[in-house]
Amino acid sequence: MTLNTERDAKETLRRRASTPIPSRTRDPGCESGPRALGHPALGHSASYQPGDPTVRSRAHWSSDSEDSDSSGSECLYRVVLLGDHGVGKSSLAGIFAGIVGEKDANDHLGEDTYERTLTVDGEETTLIVMDTWETEKQEEDEKWVQDYCMQVGNAYVIVYSITDRSSFESASELRIQLRRMRQAENIPIILVGNKSDLVRCREVAVEEGRACAVVFDCKFIETSASLHHNVHELFEGIVRQIRLRRDSKETNERRRSIYKRKESITKKARRFLDRLVARNNKKMALKVRSKSCHDLSVL
């Protein structure tokens, strides 16, 4: 099944329908639960393997960077969306997938896993975005399914609504759970404050989200799914965070130089002054670190 995006009517997006959660009863001789399944390393998918010819047919989402790497190599990563009901996880996933309007949404009801190739800083990377945290399931299986989601991601997006403080508190708890379950792994985690367009209903300040990201050592960004604000930046940032952890310092420096070329002179000057002041001022250093959690192109 394909879906044409508004950006380019000729491009098609290969989307994956609902991906079944592996059954605990498939092999009665195996240990039950997600720990028996394990989770593939970075660059491996639960359903795809590197070199799978079907990977080549996916649509592209360019980040207005330089031309794609001519090597033709492609990486595949799973991004899991976490968060309370109603915070906008499915809306963010839908924008990523290119779903526009009610007709598209109705045509793809029940789908919870989406796949797309992004060209970021001149290189292609394929993301499989899993919106399976609240997939319909039997009540007794809920804990197992959520444990499974916690273990299979190569990167995580923890979403809360800026209009709902309880969802922000739940996001903090989810970050703690991830730390416990994946503590030995250096996986990208991005805290997302969605619905930033609802200014009058705001219950969680930007500073609170930023402070939470600093405490829990993750990245932070505010988005508005309804306005498509910062959504592309979010998913491109996920790709950059994965690469920073996967690749060599030299390779990342080359990518960083490409990214910096697009920065304004004012932003570059601000970055330089922040570093200069932070060297001799601990409070300022903490403030700079707080600012850096917004920058998804650095660790």
Side-chain angles (χ1 to χ4, degrees):
M1 184 178 295
T2 60
L3 174 68
N4 290 333
T5 61
E6 286 188 336
R7 181 168 295 188
D8 187 345
K10 293 182 180 179
E11 281 190 348
T12 57
L13 171 69
R14 172 171 180 166
R15 69 165 66 267
R16 306 181 68 205
S18 298
T19 302
I21 299 296
S23 171
R24 288 182 297 178
T25 59
R26 183 170 297 172
D27 184 353
C30 294
E31 177 187 355
S32 65
R35 294 192 180 278
L37 300 170
H39 51 276
L42 282 179
H44 292 70
S45 169
S47 56
Y48 284 99
Q49 294 299 325
D52 186 342
T54 61
V55 172
R56 306 299 176 200
S57 65
R58 302 186 185 103
H60 291 68
W61 178 5
S62 176
S63 63
D64 298 323
S65 298
E66 295 184 349
D67 293 338
S68 297
D69 188 355
S70 59
S71 65
S73 62
E74 187 175 35
C75 299
L76 186 66
Y77 301 102
R78 294 176 309 282
V79 179
V80 181
L81 302 179
L82 307 177
D84 281 358
H85 177 75
V87 296
K89 300 187 300 298
S90 296
S91 297
L92 293 171
I95 294 170
F96 168 82
I99 297 176
V100 289
E102 288 186 16
K103 185 179 183 301
D104 287 339
N106 291 333
D107 287 345
H108 299 90
L109 282 174
E111 295 186 4
D112 50 30
T113 306
Y114 308 92
E115 198 175 317
R116 197 162 192 172
T117 298
L118 284 67
T119 302
V120 180
D121 299 333
E123 299 173 42
E124 290 184 358
T125 300
T126 297
L127 296 183
I128 298 175
V129 173
M130 299 173 60
D131 182 24
T132 53
W133 186 245
E134 295 178 292
T135 302
E136 290 184 13
K137 48 195 173 287
Q138 297 295 325
E139 185 175 346
E140 60 270 19
D141 284 341
E142 180 175 353
K143 181 66 166 63
W144 179 82
V145 171
Q146 294 192 344
D147 283 349
Y148 178 80
C149 289
M150 285 279 191
Q151 294 199 45
V152 298
N154 300 128
Y156 288 87
V157 175
I158 304 178
V159 187
Y160 69 90
S161 168
I162 68 157
T163 66
D164 182 359
R165 176 161 290 279
S166 65
S167 71
F168 176 65
E169 293 168 354
S170 294
S172 300
E173 288 297 321
L174 286 171
R175 177 64 185 95
I176 292 171
Q177 287 181 45
L178 268 176
R179 176 179 287 175
R180 287 172 182 162
M181 298 187 73
R182 309 286 295 274
Q183 58 184 342
E185 301 171 66
N186 187 19
I187 54 174
I189 300 172
I190 301 178
L191 180 66
V192 177
N194 192 36
K195 305 187 181 182
S196 61
D197 55 302
L198 302 179
V199 180
R200 294 184 179 180
C201 302
R202 180 184 283 274
E203 293 184 1
V204 183
V206 177
E207 292 75 16
E208 291 180 274
R210 186 186 299 142
C212 182
V214 170
V215 169
F216 289 117
D217 191 24
C218 58
K219 291 296 180 178
F220 169 72
I221 190 172
E222 282 200 350
T223 62
S224 169
S226 62
L227 299 180
H228 290 209
H229 175 64
N230 274 347
V231 180
H232 288 191
E233 289 79 359
L234 167 63
F235 288 104
E236 289 169 7
I238 292 169
V239 171
R240 292 189 176 106
Q241 288 295 305
I242 290 172
R243 288 174 180 171
L244 284 167
R245 291 161 171 80
R246 178 199 68 184
D247 297 332
S248 67
K249 184 178 179 181
E250 292 74 17
T251 302
N252 284 314
E253 282 296 327
R254 177 178 57 79
R255 293 193 186 111
R256 181 68 177 157
S257 65
I258 294 173
Y259 180 79
K260 280 184 175 179
R261 279 181 224 154
K262 298 185 290 182
E263 286 186 340
S264 66
I265 295 176
T266 304
K267 191 172 181 180
K268 287 179 180 178
R270 238 180 241 162
R271 188 192 298 275
F272 174 75
L273 289 172
D274 282 344
R275 279 189 202 152
L276 197 63
V277 175
R279 287 177 187 172
N280 301 313
N281 190 317
K282 290 184 179 180
K283 288 184 179 180
M284 184 56 69
L286 180 61
K287 186 176 180 181
V288 170
R289 186 185 170 197
S290 177
K291 285 183 180 179
S292 73
C293 72
H294 281 286
D295 190 347
L296 303 187
S297 66
V298 299
L299 285 174

